[in-house]
Amino acid sequence: MTKLVYSFGGGTADGSREDRSILGGKGANLAEMARIGIPVPPGFTITTEVCRYYLREHHNPEGLEEAVADALNRIEGRTGRSFGNVEDPLLVSVRSGGAVSMPGMMDTILNLGLNDRTVAGLESATGNARFAWDSYRRFVQMYGDVVLGVDAQSFEDRLAAATKLRNVPHESGLSADDLKAITSDFKAIVRDHTGDPFPDDPWLQLWGAIEAVFRSWNVERAIAYRRVHGIPNYLGTAVNVQAMVFGNLGETSGTGVTFTRDPSTGERRLFGEFLVNAQGEDVVAGIRTPLSIDRMAEKLPEAYERLVAVQDTLEQHFRDMLDLEFTVERGHLFLLQSRTGKRTTAAAVRIAVEMVDEKLIDETEAVLRVDPRQLDQLLHPRIDPNAATDELARGLPASPGAATGRVCFDPDDAVRLSRDGQEVILVRNETSPDDFLGMVAARAVVTARGGITSHAAVVARGMGKCCVVGAQDLHIEGKQGRLHANGRTLQTGDWITVDGTAGRILIGQVPTVEPEPGDDFLRIMTWADERRTLGVRANADTPADARKAREFGAEGIGLCRTEHMFFEGDRVQAVREMILAETGAARAAALEKILPMQRQDFIDIFRAMDGLPVTIRLLDPPLHEFLPSAEADIATFARHAGLSIDDVMTLLERYREANPMLGTRGVRLAILYPEIMEMQARAIFEAAVEAERQGLRPRPEVMIPLVATAKELAIQGDAIRKIATSIFQAADLAVPYLVGTMIELPRAALTAAEIAQEAEFFSFGTNDLTQTTFGISRDDAGTFLPRYLEDGILADDPFQVLDREGVGQLVQIGTWEGRQRRRDLKVGICGEHGGDPSSVEFFHETGLDYVSCSPFRVPVARLAAAHAALHAAVGPGRTSKARARRAEADASERLRLVRRTAAVTPADAAGPQPEV
């Protein structure tokens, strides 16, 4: 660490916005604003490197005290006030600021430097006793909570008692004498909880606050936020110490938060809230319901004009939508913070497109501005406009969408109920950072207090959660498990629907409809498609799924699971007859019932995907998924098949397997009962011929599942090709097709060269490949996987984010081996990882041809593929082709080592071992 502290203010700064990694986002932007002449209170930033050192060594690095003292002297010189001076004291704020914005997750201290002597000096200097004691009360409360660990509720209870006694709605109605008494009581609370008096030495206060900010990097809510948003834990936070300016100095002062554009819609207008005679925490914490920023033009007109000019300057300079925190002190505007504004995906898309039109950014930058992980926000449902609704209350529309769930007042209960599979809506008076895990678990968030820049609103928007805030008609009695609104009462567990777009809370379960992305979305996706090299297909099992997939831009079907075509009605009965048939003739009769159903489905799918490839996986269910298990189903099947219940039970026992997921399924089923595969092949190729005759361009790709050996694939591949030839000859018409396999077993990946002799394409089934690599049943992992994630044994759920070190290596080896044997081998993946942006990046780097995912995740995969291509092209030697070559080389080396190890004979094992 060559430099521990960076100063800013007075039109100069030691750092700039390029120094985010060491100054954090807040510190870097404060420095940048100071450099370009924005009115910023002077201050200094302690670097993230110091934080990492403190958390590692449990003490501050040598030289920090001197550097802080020197930086504080600079603030004193710029303000004309002295820290700890009893006549006109300098007060400071102490705030966190990581390299990646984490709103509300770490701690802030305001008004630091006050004690029983300096408060008198503050009162004398400002001529405002109420202001001085209000500032002192706030400081003791914040410091006691954040630094000394006193239960925050103890302070809130005392404050609530005072407002109730004086019959005022909040503390702004309390007098100077009231606040003086409360401050004394707060200090007594600190003594009772800690055993020590409240610290009155400003320097001790400062170091306590600095170290508390360092420690706040590792509080539970911050760790949880980083886990949800994929922020690395090693970054650490900077500490920003800044001269206080006061928005609570009377009617010519105020504070607020504003966005340079609407964070919900992206509309280009000043959007935010402010309060007269208040400090910043009043707005952010939702303690008081603020006024719209438009009202500032009436209340503080000169400051408002200056704010409009400043926000224009900053947006042009930073070339992005910004979240600004400001204070007006006796008519003078000060900017306390400027950061990239959190926004809904709808807003992100609109802002990116409009900034291209405004020549602020180019199309490539616009694509990178939209986070693929949040793109499905655009696909959120909305309230059905034709549905009958029963409105309970209204609030502010903080985050769009619609969600239904059961009322839950406690965030811990929300986590527990969500883990049990229940859908909950978290309802609070206001949220705090401690509620974060409950907000993650809930389908939507509702608060009775707070505005559209409150903690609840900002965090919900960042997660894409539907949210309504400031629903003042809600009277919440959380401990009693009930709420009252407009003469109605709801209990814990009652159903409500939240309309985050209109700000409505509705009673009951209200129907929703799917959204319709607009022109801005189409432009972004067009630009993304122009920049990606990885194809994107969809997993679709029905004609309706196929049509939806094409609407979302799928370039074909990467997985059509034929067993999913038979899970209902007469179809499932026919499949059960086929499985339980005791003779070949009986099985053939059942298959004749199934054939026309399959054939028509394939015709309809080829029509939906006209001209695009359709990968059809042959039947691959564990048999128990088709067989009846409930008594009523068994009885129904017995009647349908003309058998007794005892006969059916005997047949079911014959097919019972101890581990059906690894039993008679996939290619094994086809080898035992070749007539099943033959029926499906006939359905596919007869459908292809009929589609061709109708003027369509079918492109079937027949995929044989659960292959472990090349011999299995050779047997099935030869049979499929014979059937295709027979049908084409009879029709005097041929359709291009491929035969390939799904790689979902480690052995298949490791012997891919042999399998590629028989396969024209590979599709990695990463769901099963993850199960067979980890030895984890996805259906049973819920009993232990959450604990693994909480304890850090696994960084991510491997069924959601690809395990690069294990499963990923098998994908790389399989791809490289297969292409060494067959250079034109087409390779894709069709597991759920195909819609995860992090996994898509890996597949791009590995050099796959395409990914396939559920229809609604197709836009996510398209945008993620564009991001992967653009990120890969940054810097020398990092083009997509170079990275694919590097991946191939890595896979080749790993395979060489595997083979070298496997080649060791028992005799060799007694001697020197190979270095692996």
Side-chain angles (χ1 to χ4, degrees), residues 44 191 236 281 367 380 519 637 862:
F44 60 87
R191 181 187 287 274
E281 291 303 298
V367 170
H380 282 333
D519 291 342
F637 176 72
R862 290 163 61 196

Side-chain angles (χ1 to χ4, degrees), residues 456-472:
V458 170
V459 173
R461 274 197 299 270
M463 291 190 292
K465 295 273 183 181
C466 173
C467 181
V468 173
V469 299
Q472 299 182 43

Side-chain angles (χ1 to χ4, degrees), residues 23-46:
L23 299 182
K26 185 177 297 181
N29 285 353
L30 284 168
E32 187 74 10
M33 287 194 294
R35 285 195 328 102
I36 65 174
I38 301 297
V40 172
F44 60 87
T45 301
I46 302 172

Side-chain angles (χ1 to χ4, degrees), residues 1-4 47-51 53-54 56 61-62:
M1 291 180 286
T2 57
K3 190 175 178 66
L4 308 178
T47 69
T48 58
E49 292 177 313
V50 175
C51 174
Y53 181 95
Y54 177 88
R56 184 176 65 249
E62 184 178 349

Side-chain angles (χ1 to χ4, degrees), residues 797-826:
D797 181 341
F799 295 105
Q800 297 183 26
V801 179
L802 188 80
D803 163 48
R804 296 190 182 202
E805 290 74 20
V807 179
Q809 287 196 38
L810 291 172
V811 172
Q812 288 181 327
I813 289 171
T815 301
W816 185 84
E817 275 277 281
R819 285 178 173 161
Q820 289 301 302
R821 186 58 56 92
R822 186 187 288 267
R823 299 307 295 179
D824 62 346
L825 183 73
K826 184 187 297 184

